[in-house]
Amino acid sequence: MSTNVTALLGRIRAAEIRFGRKPGSVELLAVSKTHGVDAIAAARAAGIRAFGENYLQEALPKVAALPDLQWHFIGPVQSNKTRPIAERFAWVHTVERLKTAQRLSAQRPPELPPLNICIEVNISGESSKAGVAPSDLADLAQAVAALPGLQLRGLMALPAPEEEFAAQRAAFARLRSCLTSLNEQSLALDTLSMGTTDDFEAAIAEGATIVRIGTALFGPRQY
Ligand SMILES: *Cc1c(COP(=O)(O)O)cnc(C)c1O
């Protein structure tokens, strides 16, 4: 594990330098879905603090076993399951409807800091993909930003896989320009959650501040 972590952090730093990003401006979110507490503890021992999970039932025992880590919810949010997310996670990357945000807002315990939120954007325009359409983004972002108990931080996308670096960059550039236009409409968003094992260097080139990486850290997923 520590060699994977060292190699991956080295690739992230190299991409920051190559694309003119400030050193240390890209955070690694370790995506631990399908991997157990032992693997997560090994990643923690190698210095990783932020972990992403997609499925609530799978995540809750891991969160309970390692509560000192920073937990990010990165899967589809079912509106009847928002309470445990609001209570136990530090971030949700996959808000795509106002109703979900309203529930998270109402259910965030007041003694905790605000829940950090990214809105998921359907940047590839595939009807099967999750995320709000770019044309509906501004209204949703303004509404989410006004909710108590939440801090709207930015945008997230999981674009359709592309082989070519230039095509990968083009999708991430679309998310970046969505963020730019929201910030021109008086929001102050600082987060672009984009890039996975296969395309994180292109995401860093286009301004990613969080890369979400599973396979390059933990190996193939075991279902
Ligand atoms: C699984 C997953 C990742 C990590 O993908 P890898 O290819 O294993 O790096 C990132 N983001 C989301 C939303 C995921 O579901």
Side-chain angles (χ1 to χ4, degrees), residues 1 48 50 65 70 87 95 123 125 147 149-150 159 170 191 197-198 208-209 215:
M1 173 57 71
I48 296 181
Q70 188 187 71
E87 289 174 349
V95 167
I123 216 70
L147 293 172
L150 307 183
T191 300
T197 293
D198 289 330
T209 62
T215 309

Side-chain angles (χ1 to χ4, degrees), residues 108-132:
R108 181 65 167 176
E111 67 275 16
L112 293 183
L115 182 59
N116 295 293
I117 300 290
C118 291
I119 293 176
E120 182 171 6
V121 183
N122 182 351
I123 216 70
S124 306
E126 300 157 286
S127 54
S128 60
K129 269 269 162 89
V132 65

Side-chain angles (χ1 to χ4, degrees), residues 21-208:
R21 301 286 311 279
K22 200 164 142 254
S25 58
V26 180
E27 280 176 64
L28 170 60
L29 177 64
V31 176
S32 46
K33 63 173 179 254
T34 82
H35 299 288
V37 168
D38 290 353
I40 297 169
R44 176 179 65 172
I48 296 181
R49 284 291 170 276
F51 291 83
E53 287 281 338
N54 293 60
Y55 307 104
L56 190 63
Q57 289 313 112
E58 183 194 333
L60 288 178
K62 303 183 198 178
V63 175
L66 297 164
D68 55 316
L69 297 175
Q70 188 187 71
W71 290 99
H72 295 230
F73 196 81
I74 63 167
V77 184
Q78 292 171 257
S79 51
N80 61 339
K81 297 206 178 133
T82 48
R83 184 176 295 280
I85 297 175
E87 289 174 349
R88 281 161 234 218
F89 284 78
W91 285 72
V92 179
H93 292 231
T94 41
V95 167
E96 53 178 325
R97 283 182 302 156
L98 183 57
K99 186 179 164 214
T100 310
Q102 287 167 331
R103 292 179 63 93
L104 291 169
S105 167
Q107 293 167 343
R108 181 65 167 176
E111 67 275 16
L112 293 183
L115 182 59
N116 295 293
I117 300 290
C118 291
I119 293 176
E120 182 171 6
V121 183
N122 182 351
I123 216 70
S124 306
E126 300 157 286
S127 54
S128 60
K129 269 269 162 89
V132 65
S135 54
D136 297 332
L137 175 60
D139 287 348
L140 178 60
Q142 294 291 350
V144 172
L147 293 172
L150 307 183
Q151 177 80 49
L152 180 62
R153 296 293 299 270
L155 304 178
M156 177 273 200
L158 185 64
E162 295 281 358
E163 292 285 323
E164 295 288 325
F165 192 74
Q168 294 174 353
R169 275 189 76 153
F172 295 131
R174 289 200 290 279
L175 194 69
R176 177 165 52 80
S177 83
C178 288
L179 192 86
T180 303
S181 45
L182 293 178
N183 281 337
E184 286 164 0
Q185 296 162 40
S186 80
L187 293 174
L189 308 181
D190 61 7
T191 300
L192 279 173
S193 166
M194 58 187 195
T196 64
T197 293
D198 289 330
D199 56 14
F200 72 86
E201 279 138 334
I204 291 172
E206 294 297 341

